[in-house]
Amino acid sequence: MASASHAGAPYAAFLSLPGVSGGGSDSGRDVKLPANLATGAGLERAEGVAKVAFDLARQVLADHEKWEQDKAKEEVARRERKALLQVPDTSGSASSGRAPEAAARPTQATLWLNFPDGRKTPLNLEVSQSAFDVYAKIFEGLQDKERQFFSTITGPRDGGPRVDKKLDDGSFSMDLKSLGVQAGKQYDVKISQGRG
């Protein structure tokens, strides 16, 4: 290997390499290229392959950009839907401080849903309905549906056999009458949520 320390000949090592036929090499040893390479026959095919590869790469990049735009739109829509879930339901019969009729029918009991945010909402249910129906109505009325919640039925408000029952997996299949809830009476449902 030649040293590049010669000030006038930094490329001296390369000059001693064999040259291509007709390249004017001083070494006298010429390298002969195969006939098909010398004419460039394979270059057109290589150029076509490269063009196809670049077109495919452009298509992949365009598809990825479209996917990212669709994903961004979906994320915006998801945030809007989540924000809508935070809006309180004003179509229900929210309490305005007055007592409702005791029960709409003699086979119903009124359950006052006391939400963690201070809202009190009356719910008239048949005593033959399940405790899971109460649980579903509670979930429907919660503002923060992401956090776990607990609920307990107590009452009746105007006296009678006392009910103090936590709603949990074991009580979901029971009807309200089996929990001790009586038709025509009013009960409180205390709802609490853990800190999130």
Side-chain angles (χ1 to χ4, degrees), residues 34-47:
N36 63 347
L37 285 181
T39 61
L43 293 179
E44 286 129 15
R45 189 172 61 96
E47 182 180 341

Side-chain angles (χ1 to χ4, degrees), residues 9-130:
Y11 303 107
F14 294 106
L15 294 175
S16 66
L17 292 175
V20 176
S21 188
S25 171
D26 293 343
S27 68
R29 294 177 25 212
D30 291 335
V31 175
K32 303 283 185 189
L33 294 176
N36 63 347
L37 285 181
T39 61
L43 293 179
E44 286 129 15
R45 189 172 61 96
E47 182 180 341
V49 169
K51 186 175 189 307
V52 169
F54 276 98
D55 289 344
L56 181 60
R58 283 186 197 97
Q59 183 62 43
V60 167
L61 289 173
D63 290 347
H64 182 72
E65 185 175 324
K66 184 182 180 310
W67 175 81
E68 283 182 330
Q69 290 171 351
D70 290 346
K71 185 178 174 188
K73 287 178 187 175
E74 185 179 317
E75 183 63 31
V76 167
R78 183 178 294 120
R79 273 187 256 130
E80 287 175 359
R81 286 192 303 272
K82 197 167 186 175
L84 285 174
L85 288 174
Q86 302 301 321
V87 175
D89 182 15
T90 57
S91 65
S93 58
S95 175
S96 60
R98 65 181 193 283
E101 302 99 36
R105 290 182 276 185
T107 57
Q108 290 184 331
T110 300
L111 303 178
W112 283 90
L113 305 180
N114 299 293
F115 288 99
D117 61 3
R119 289 179 295 130
K120 297 180 188 313
T121 305
L123 175 65
N124 292 326
L125 290 176
E126 298 286 330
V127 292
S128 61
Q129 287 184 260
S130 71

